[in-house]
Amino acid sequence: MANLEIEVRAEGSGFGAEIGAVDLAAEVPEEAFQAIRAAMIRHKVLVFRDQHLDDDSHLAFAQRFGPLEGHINRATRHDALPKIQIFGNVDQSGNPTGVHPERGTLVWHSDKSYVATPSMFTVLRSPSVARQGGNTLFADMERAYADLDEDRAQALGNLRVVHDWKRSREKSNERPATAEEIAAAPPVEHPLVRTHPETGAKALYLGNHASHIAGMDRAEGEALIAELERHGTQAKYIYCHRWRDNDVLMWDNRCTVHCVTTYDAAKERRIVHRAVVQGDRPF
Ligand SMILES: [Fe+2]
């Protein structure tokens, strides 16, 4: 009989856990899958070591969590599998380009917060891992919120934030958004304090796609966003994932922000393949 137990190894705060005794390339039994999903909600970031997924099995695993979404940036889409996005610094001959793909990944963000129904879970694997740098950092925005004093937390709960793909790209010095992208992703408003639809926990909902505060002086709103991001990304809230070959990494975008640390894009080869599970409208 198949062993339906999974191993969950979490440390300290419980933010982030390593999951063992599971082969994601095989069909994960339903009971084990439900245990993984429960661990996802509890620990917010999950790491699976020594996995051997290809794009098809990557998609098959990710879509068990819900419908997958594409991306408005066509340049990163897999040619044959549009629900897989590829970010890499390697040219067609396999040589490093010297250019970080999508500089917006280097700054704190929550995936797709610039759309009305942003990403729930992101599932990532890395066919080529940088040996130095290229770590993925996560910040626990629920703990960051919980540590605010009560009056401040209450006041912030009344604010709404404008998230904007175009502005986000300006802030991260990426190529400007195209007219087609701007039409596909006009600015949207989300609450600054987001309630997790499955646990009821509240989190700061910010990141690089956050442009300004609705109804507040622009500069004042930008300063408030920057201040809350500094608060939320202090070392005590961070989990650092150092990639090994054959890792699969997934996270809950509803209560975390993440970014990639720099690496030598002229020497290292770093490639990630991503599948994203669509979420609900934040409230
Ligand atoms: Fe991301």
Side-chain angles (χ1 to χ4, degrees):
M1 196 175 127
N3 179 8
L4 300 181
E5 297 285 318
I6 60 165
E7 292 170 13
V8 180
R9 296 182 288 271
E11 290 176 22
S13 67
F15 181 44
E18 201 173 302
I19 304 295
V22 67
D23 176 7
L24 300 182
E27 186 163 337
V28 178
E30 180 61 19
E31 193 180 327
F33 175 76
Q34 290 305 333
I36 291 170
R37 200 181 189 292
M40 180 75 256
I41 298 303
R42 177 165 184 192
H43 298 289
K44 305 167 191 169
V45 180
L46 298 183
V47 182
F48 305 80
R49 305 283 191 189
D50 304 316
Q51 301 295 326
H52 296 278
L53 297 181
D54 57 17
D55 287 320
D56 288 319
S57 50
H58 184 171
L59 282 176
F61 173 63
Q63 69 193 10
R64 286 185 72 176
F65 293 93
L68 304 182
E69 57 191 23
H71 198 280
I72 61 168
N73 185 353
R74 289 175 178 273
T76 60
R77 280 185 203 165
H78 187 296
D79 289 340
L81 300 168
K83 296 290 170 59
I84 292 277
Q85 291 117 49
I86 301 174
F87 303 89
N89 69 319
V90 178
D91 66 20
Q92 292 199 330
S93 315
N95 298 316
T97 59
V99 178
H100 279 275
E102 291 297 304
R103 297 192 62 79
T105 63
L106 296 168
V107 287
W108 292 104
H109 65 282
S110 176
D111 286 338
K112 306 277 278 287
S113 72
Y114 52 82
V115 300
T117 53
S119 312
M120 183 192 312
F121 302 143
T122 302
V123 183
L124 217 63
R125 69 192 177 91
S126 184
S128 185
V129 173
R131 299 294 141 187
Q132 279 200 343
N135 303 321
T136 305
L137 304 181
F138 296 91
D140 185 340
M141 301 305 270
E142 287 179 354
R143 280 187 59 218
Y145 174 81
D147 285 349
L148 294 171
D149 81 55
E150 213 171 301
D151 290 346
R152 179 121 207 254
Q154 201 150 31
L156 293 176
N158 297 322
L159 298 178
R160 294 181 67 78
V161 179
V162 178
H163 294 244
D164 183 356
W165 164 258
K166 175 173 175 282
R167 177 70 188 130
S168 167
R169 297 186 73 80
E170 290 167 0
K171 287 198 296 185
S172 56
N173 293 319
E174 254 298 343
R175 64 146 178 85
T178 64
E180 186 189 3
E181 288 169 355
I182 293 168
V188 292
E189 265 184 42
H190 295 306
L192 193 158
V193 177
R194 181 174 186 180
T195 303
H196 196 289
E198 300 186 55
T199 66
K202 292 186 171 182
L204 293 171
Y205 190 53
L206 291 164
N208 192 57
H209 306 313
S211 166
H212 56 282
I213 309 276
M216 187 182 285
D217 171 77
R218 184 102 185 188
E220 200 183 326
E222 288 174 349
L224 176 58
I225 289 169
E227 185 221 321
L228 291 172
E229 272 190 28
R230 279 196 302 278
H231 163 69
T233 56
Q234 295 175 78
K236 61 184 171 181
Y237 303 129
I238 289 178
Y239 168 81
C240 173
H241 178 67
R242 293 180 177 82
W243 286 88
R244 294 185 207 155
D245 290 331
N246 304 314
D247 282 351
V248 171
L249 180 65
M250 70 179 292
W251 62 89
D252 190 339
N253 285 290
R254 299 170 293 186
C255 51
T256 62
V257 288
H258 62 278
C259 65
V260 182
T261 64
T262 54
Y263 58 96
D264 187 342
K267 288 196 179 135
E268 298 270 16
R269 292 175 176 79
R270 187 179 190 276
I271 303 171
V272 295
H273 287 214
R274 175 174 100 153
V276 184
V277 182
Q278 188 171 358
D280 302 319
R281 184 179 289 272
F283 60 89

